[in-house]
Amino acid sequence: METVILAVVIAVVVLGALGGLVVGSRRKKSLPPPPPAAPDITAPPAEPHVGDEAETPRDEPRRTIEEVDLPGGSAPVVVEEPAAPEIEIPEPTAGRLVRLRARLSRSQNALGKGLLTLLSREHLDDETWEEIEDTLLTADVGVQPTTELVDQLRERVKVLGTRTPTELRGLLREELLKLIGTDADRTVKTEPEDRKPGIVMVVGVNGTGKTTTTGKLARVLVADGRTVVLGAADTFRAAAADQLQTWGERVGAYTVRGPEAGDPASVAFDAVKEGKEMGVDVVLIDTAGRLHTKTGLMDELGKVKRVVEKHAPLDEVLLVLDATTGQNGLVQARVFAEVVDITGIVLTKLDGTAKGGIVIAVQRELGVPVKLIGLGEGADDLAPFEPEAFVDALIGE
């Protein structure tokens, strides 16, 4: 009996040992691989191969290794630097208005075609001439220019006798060009003979597209081979400086800015100072969009002008007007001209519901030429004003 009990005990012990071996084997198979050895942070990094820098794409973020303090000591951490903004190459300005002519003609043909239709009537009686006057006034040509144009047309049509479509178009083109003027110097003055940089101040009421126009003008200048510094002197409108700086970064122009609600004259002064030290060709100063009914704000605009002129005289003061405002734009122009000496006009939004006659009216009001016109929301939709191309777009082929 004792022998049987001993045999049973031995069998149990043997089976238990065999079971432990199987479980241990399974556990060994399920264990994950050991972690890789920690890198030796005391070893210096490998020397880079010549040409590594050139092989890095320009628009890819660069990576640098910096030492970071940790509770157990310092350790190297890879830090990605933000990629530099891509510099755009603006569209050349030569012939830009011709390229934008289709866009202009789509919104302006009502004036030219309306006049040609009326002039083509078999009998040009007093009622027809009144309709011609109404067409011109509706197009924001203005009372005095309208009277002059109608008198000239009546006289020439009477002398001409026959009125073929080609003759009428040529006649209307000649008279419109006389009103707009082809002899005025429409160059934006940015290259003074005795110094650098040229200084341009941009003024106008909020909502006319003044800051956007300043950015687009920077593109125009860069496209013509000039270097530019931008002065964000519109310190009262939220994000105005950010907006201008974004425009500048696109073409590699440096932007001088100050604190929000800071002194605009100080920013303008610093912009000209930076421009002189950097040796750039042009400094563009974007001023606050002042309500022309606020006398104090208009006085401040005069202060900006005086402070800038401690460096050098202003070469251009461009007034930005929204072409869709019509006669209201003339009121704004009149008040701004009393504060600063306007030397040129920029008409924006001329591709929308604007009437082409505003070009004639505003030139008559201020006695200064329209130098630039905006024909869309695109970055290169600001074009030098060319009277012939403009009139051709008005009256069509």
Side-chain angles (χ1 to χ4, degrees), residues 7 26 107 135 145 155 185 201 235 248 274 316 324 344 376 392:
R26 288 180 180 176
S107 60
T135 301
E155 182 65 26
D185 184 3
M201 187 165 74
T235 59
E274 287 282 345
E316 285 278 6
T324 63
D392 287 340

Side-chain angles (χ1 to χ4, degrees), residues 33-322:
D40 183 6
I41 63 174
T42 62
E47 291 293 329
H49 295 291
V50 176
D52 283 354
E53 182 71 16
E55 293 173 1
T56 302
R58 292 182 62 188
D59 55 351
E60 291 290 331
R62 297 186 59 182
R63 294 174 173 82
T64 59
I65 298 178
E66 297 182 1
E67 291 289 333
V68 178
D69 292 330
L70 298 174
S74 62
V77 176
V78 176
V79 179
E80 290 192 358
E81 298 178 357
E86 183 178 353
I87 303 299
E88 300 177 10
I89 301 176
E91 178 185 2
T93 58
R96 186 179 286 187
L97 182 55
V98 175
R99 294 192 294 275
L100 296 172
R101 178 173 163 181
R103 184 177 304 167
L104 176 64
S105 62
R106 282 197 297 269
S107 60
Q108 305 299 325
N109 263 347
L111 170 60
K113 288 184 176 179
L115 291 175
L116 287 173
T117 300
L118 291 170
L119 289 170
S120 299
R121 289 183 180 177
E122 186 175 354
H123 300 289
L124 294 178
D125 53 18
D126 290 342
E127 183 177 345
T128 301
W129 287 111
E130 288 180 4
E131 290 184 49
I132 292 174
E133 285 187 355
D134 290 342
T135 301
L136 291 168
L137 291 172
T138 303
D140 291 329
V141 172
V143 176
Q144 186 62 33
T146 293
T147 301
E148 293 177 15
L149 181 56
V150 169
D151 289 345
Q152 287 294 322
L153 288 174
R154 292 187 76 158
E155 182 65 26
R156 295 195 63 181
V157 167
K158 181 179 179 181
V159 172
L160 184 63
T162 57
R163 299 188 302 275
T164 66
T166 301
E167 290 173 330
L168 285 172
R169 185 183 180 283
L171 175 64
L172 185 58
R173 184 179 189 276
E174 289 179 19
E175 294 303 326
L176 286 172
L177 282 174
K178 285 181 184 178
L179 282 179
I180 293 174
T182 57
D183 297 330
D185 184 3
R186 301 181 187 275
T187 306
V188 178
K189 299 293 188 299
T190 57
E191 295 181 286
E193 296 180 357
D194 57 341
R195 59 180 166 79
K196 270 179 123 176
I199 306 172
V200 179
M201 187 165 74
V202 184
V203 302
V205 175
N206 276 335
T208 59
K210 180 178 47 56
T211 299
T212 298
T213 296
T214 306
K216 289 182 178 181
L217 179 55
R219 293 180 66 89
V220 169
L221 294 171
V222 170
D224 289 340
R226 316 283 178 77
T227 52
V228 179
V229 162
L230 297 171
D234 184 355
T235 59
F236 299 109
R237 185 167 63 87
D242 292 338
Q243 182 184 358
L244 189 65
Q245 184 169 343
T246 299
W247 278 102
E249 288 175 347
R250 291 177 181 176
V251 292
Y254 179 65
T255 301
V256 176
R257 53 190 297 177
E260 187 174 346
D263 182 16
S266 176
V267 175
F269 183 88
D270 290 342
V272 178
K273 180 181 177 183
E274 287 282 345
K276 292 174 70 175
E277 292 176 353
M278 294 172 65
V280 300
D281 298 315
V282 188
V283 174
L284 294 179
I285 301 171
D286 176 36
T287 60
R290 319 193 171 277
L291 296 174
H292 59 281
T293 54
K294 303 288 187 179
T295 305
L297 294 178
M298 295 300 290
D299 290 344
E300 187 174 316
L301 181 60
K303 175 187 173 184
V304 172
K305 178 178 181 292
R306 292 191 301 273
V307 168
V308 168
E309 289 181 332
K310 291 181 179 179
H311 281 296
L314 283 167
D315 298 289
E316 285 278 6
V317 179
L318 297 176
L319 173 63
V320 180
L321 294 176
D322 182 343

Side-chain angles (χ1 to χ4, degrees), residues 341-366:
D341 297 325
I342 305 297
T343 59
I345 303 159
V346 183
L347 282 175
T348 63
K349 307 178 186 178
L350 203 54
D351 62 318
T353 59
K355 315 298 192 304
I358 191 65
V359 172
I360 299 170
V362 73
Q363 289 187 152
R364 284 293 186 92
E365 180 66 35
L366 294 184

